[in-house]
């Protein structure tokens, strides 16, 4: 925890760092017990998520396989309980606003003392607590697991109930603001998808031209001094040093890598899942990619959006996919004979402008959401360490 409270009047040094003198430090096991009550056969099935806590399985966006056979061994979770999941060391322990049942693989925590559940909902998500969870990890074959016994030994702050409630109330306001922005962002993204469905619906004024009359397979090599790029489904073609995860550097010479210019497109191994990628950068790509360069007048932003649209992926790409051992591959030769829309240039520009405006709105909302989350994180650090007091 922070040392900003060090030697300040009204603070004491503990195994959790400097905290207010009227706060206690307890073991997690002194506040929470390992609760295990089995399903009575009539409870709702719940899922444990890192972003939304413990929620009904029907609210989970991705498809989850229903349990086979009886769920009588499943554990009961009540509103206000917490759950230790297999991935708790990554994102904290999850809070439940619902009553229901979860897989017996989870550990259910029920409070033993009078606490404000909202305070510990925030505490269990703090970087301080998650760091201590990682110390309590036991490795298993398919991941990592935190046992109740290890959890129970982790030190935890225990302010007065009144201050717990006030801290929870303040942070809950930030959570509500974040939730509102997240819902608005989801609506904007759905609105954009709906617009794409309408805007990319072929009109009588549109020509349908063979793919190879609009784009050629461009292959220029022996440019080893150019910037190394990677094709991504989320951000298009970007410099490799902008990737979040660690990427293996290529072994040996780069002379076989392909040159790509700003405004070119790329067919990658996974294009059939997420569309053809656009490049805002000049550089070189692995020879496994197919680089596409326009050979007639186009609005590149129009095709940037069109190639990522559901309509293009389902109607045009799907008929060009051939199976290979470890996935599917789209070849230029197969795609070349496919006829794709070629609207008048002025209409391409108008459609691109509408979708570009949508993207700008989404970008601004996303940035605002990111800032709000960072502000909340900083506030959590101050409130959960007692650097800022809310009980005065």
């Amino acid at each position: 925890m922070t040392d900003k409270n060090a030697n300040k009047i009204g603070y004491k040094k503990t195994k959790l760092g400097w905290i207010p003198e009227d706060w206690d430090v307890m073991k997690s096991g002194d506040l929470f017990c390992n609760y295990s009550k089995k399903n009575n056969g009539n409870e709702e099935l719940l899922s444990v998520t890192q972003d939304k806590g413990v929620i009904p399985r029907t609210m989970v966006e991705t498809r989850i396989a229903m349990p086979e056979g009886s769920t009588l061994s499943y554990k009961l979770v009540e509103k206000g309980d917490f759950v230790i999941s297999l991935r708790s060391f990554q994102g904290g322990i999850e809070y439940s606003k619902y009553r229901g049942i979860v897989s017996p693989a989870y550990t259910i925590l029920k409070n033993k003392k009078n606490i404000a559940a909202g305070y510990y909902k925030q505490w269990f998500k703090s970087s301080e607590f998650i760091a201590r969870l990682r110390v309590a990890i036991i490795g298993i074959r398919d991941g990592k697991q935190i046992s109740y016994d290890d959890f129970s030994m982790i030190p935890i702050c225990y302010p007065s109930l009144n201050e717990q409630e006030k801290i929870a109330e303040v942070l809950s306001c930030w959570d509500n603001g974040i939730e509102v922005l997240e819902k608005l962002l989801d609506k904007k993204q759905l609105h954009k998808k709906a617009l794409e469905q309408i805007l990319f619906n072929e009109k009588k004024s549109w020509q349908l031209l063979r793919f190879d009359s609009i784009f050629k397979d461009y292959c220029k090599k022996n440019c080893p001094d150019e910037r190394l790029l990677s094709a991504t489904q989320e951000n298009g073609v970007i410099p490799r040093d902008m990737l979040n995860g660690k990427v293996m550097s290529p072994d040996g010479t780069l002379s076989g890598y392909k040159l790509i210019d700003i405004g070119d497109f790329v067919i990658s191994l996974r294009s059939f899942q997420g569309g053809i990628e656009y490049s805002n950068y000049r550089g070189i790509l692995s020879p496994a990619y197919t680089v596409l360069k326009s050979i007639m007048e186009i609005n590149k932003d129009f095709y940037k959006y069109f190639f990522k649209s559901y309509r293009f992926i389902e109607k045009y790409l799907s008929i060009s996919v051939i199976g290979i051992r470890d996935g599917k591959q789209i070849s230029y030769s197969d795609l070349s004979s496919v006829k794709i829309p070629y609207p008048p240039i002025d209409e391409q520009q108008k459609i691109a402008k509408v979708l570009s405006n949508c993207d700008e709105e989404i970008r601004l909302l996303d940035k605002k959401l990111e800032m709000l989350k960072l502000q909340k994180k900083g506030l959590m650090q101050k409130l959960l360490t007692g650097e800022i007091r809310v009980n005065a």
Side-chain angles (χ1 to χ4, degrees):
M1 294 179 80
T2 181
D3 288 329
K4 290 183 178 180
N5 300 333
N7 299 313
K8 286 170 58 175
I9 296 174
Y11 289 81
K12 61 186 178 183
K13 188 174 184 179
T14 70
K15 62 179 66 177
L16 286 175
W18 291 82
I19 64 173
E21 286 181 344
D22 56 335
W23 287 19
D24 291 327
V25 174
M26 308 183 74
K27 293 178 181 178
S28 295
D30 294 331
L31 296 183
F32 297 92
C33 65
N34 183 355
Y35 177 73
S36 185
K37 183 177 180 180
K38 301 298 183 183
N39 180 18
N40 62 14
N42 299 308
E43 299 292 347
E44 184 174 18
L45 196 60
L46 305 178
S47 288
V48 182
T49 71
Q50 283 190 17
D51 56 344
K52 296 179 181 178
V54 184
I55 57 175
R57 186 162 289 203
T58 54
M59 290 173 59
V60 177
E61 294 178 2
T62 54
R63 181 176 294 180
I64 298 177
M66 297 299 288
E68 297 179 0
S70 172
T71 60
L72 292 179
S73 64
Y74 276 47
K75 295 179 180 178
L76 179 67
V77 177
E78 298 188 77
K79 182 178 179 180
D81 289 347
F82 292 88
V83 174
I84 302 176
S85 73
L86 187 65
R87 297 297 175 189
S88 287
F89 70 95
Q90 291 177 330
I93 289 171
E94 307 303 334
Y95 175 72
S96 182
K97 293 191 294 184
Y98 301 90
R99 177 187 169 98
I101 53 171
V102 296
S103 163
Y106 295 117
T107 300
I108 315 303
L109 303 174
K110 190 174 287 293
N111 58 294
K112 294 163 68 173
K113 290 176 67 73
N114 196 15
I115 63 164
Y119 170 81
Y120 287 101
K121 173 186 172 183
Q122 303 290 347
W123 176 265
F124 287 149
K125 287 290 184 176
S126 68
S127 55
E128 161 69 22
F129 184 76
I130 294 171
R132 292 180 180 273
L133 274 185
R134 290 194 178 107
V135 177
I137 285 172
I138 304 170
I140 58 174
R141 281 181 302 173
D142 57 351
K144 299 184 177 184
Q145 187 177 31
I146 298 159
S147 70
Y148 173 77
D149 289 342
D150 289 327
F151 160 81
S152 67
M153 302 303 293
I154 297 173
I156 194 169
C157 277
Y158 186 71
S160 69
L161 182 60
N162 178 59
E163 194 162 5
Q164 288 181 36
E165 290 171 343
K166 288 185 176 179
I167 290 172
E169 184 179 351
V170 171
L171 293 175
S172 177
C173 289
W174 287 80
D175 283 340
N176 290 339
I178 288 169
E179 185 178 0
V180 168
L181 272 181
E182 286 176 336
K183 287 181 178 178
L184 183 57
L185 189 58
D186 286 343
K187 286 182 179 179
K188 289 288 184 183
Q189 289 167 336
L190 286 172
H191 176 65
K192 180 188 170 187
K193 288 181 180 179
L195 272 177
E196 286 177 341
Q197 288 289 93
I198 297 169
L199 293 173
F200 291 134
N201 190 23
E202 291 92 343
K203 303 176 180 65
K204 290 182 179 179
S205 60
W206 292 13
Q207 298 182 66
L208 286 175
L209 302 179
R210 280 176 58 109
F211 193 90
D212 60 4
S213 69
I214 306 175
F215 297 95
K216 69 177 179 179
D217 180 353
Y218 179 71
C219 184
K220 183 178 179 180
K221 299 182 179 181
N222 294 309
C223 304
D225 295 330
E226 294 284 351
R227 193 175 191 182
L228 197 59
L229 306 178
S230 287
T232 72
Q233 284 190 15
E234 290 186 357
N235 301 307
V237 181
I238 58 174
R240 188 165 289 205
D241 54 21
M242 287 175 58
L243 294 174
N244 292 327
K246 181 179 275 188
V247 180
M248 294 290 291
S249 296
D251 293 331
T253 179
L254 298 175
S255 60
Y257 275 51
K258 296 179 180 179
L259 179 69
I260 183 169
D261 284 307
I262 296 171
D264 289 347
F265 294 87
V266 167
I267 302 175
S268 70
L269 184 65
R270 295 299 173 191
S271 285
F272 72 95
Q273 293 176 324
I276 292 173
E277 308 303 335
Y278 179 75
S279 183
N280 279 309
Y281 301 89
R282 176 185 168 94
I284 53 174
L285 283 163
S286 163
Y289 296 115
T290 300
V291 178
L292 303 174
K293 190 176 287 289
S294 59
I295 53 177
M296 62 185 299
E297 185 185 4
I298 65 169
N299 181 283
K300 292 180 179 180
D301 283 340
F302 171 83
Y303 284 100
K304 177 179 75 173
Y305 289 114
F306 178 67
F307 286 154
K308 298 293 285 183
S309 69
Y310 178 82
R311 186 173 186 82
F312 173 73
I313 294 167
E314 289 300 307
K315 183 175 180 179
Y316 299 98
L317 276 191
S318 61
I319 63 173
S320 304
V321 171
I322 53 174
I324 58 174
R325 283 178 301 171
D326 56 351
K328 296 178 180 181
Q329 187 179 33
I330 300 163
S331 71
Y332 175 78
S333 59
D334 288 328
L335 193 58
S336 63
S337 61
V338 175
K339 290 187 176 182
I340 63 172
Y342 181 80
I345 289 296
D346 63 336
E347 196 167 353
Q348 290 184 32
Q349 291 169 343
K350 289 175 183 177
I351 291 172
K353 181 64 175 175
V354 170
L355 295 175
S356 178
N357 288 340
C358 284
D359 269 352
E360 181 62 12
E361 290 179 3
I362 289 170
R363 186 190 69 80
L364 291 174
L365 276 176
D366 199 42
K367 186 176 180 180
K368 189 174 181 180
L369 179 61
E370 184 181 352
M371 289 177 63
L372 201 60
K373 287 180 177 179
L374 283 173
Q375 289 169 355
K376 186 211 167 186
K377 186 177 180 180
L379 187 60
M380 280 178 66
Q381 176 70 11
K382 294 179 183 295
L383 290 174
L384 297 178
T385 61
E387 184 181 344
I388 294 178
R389 304 298 301 275
V390 292
N391 63 339

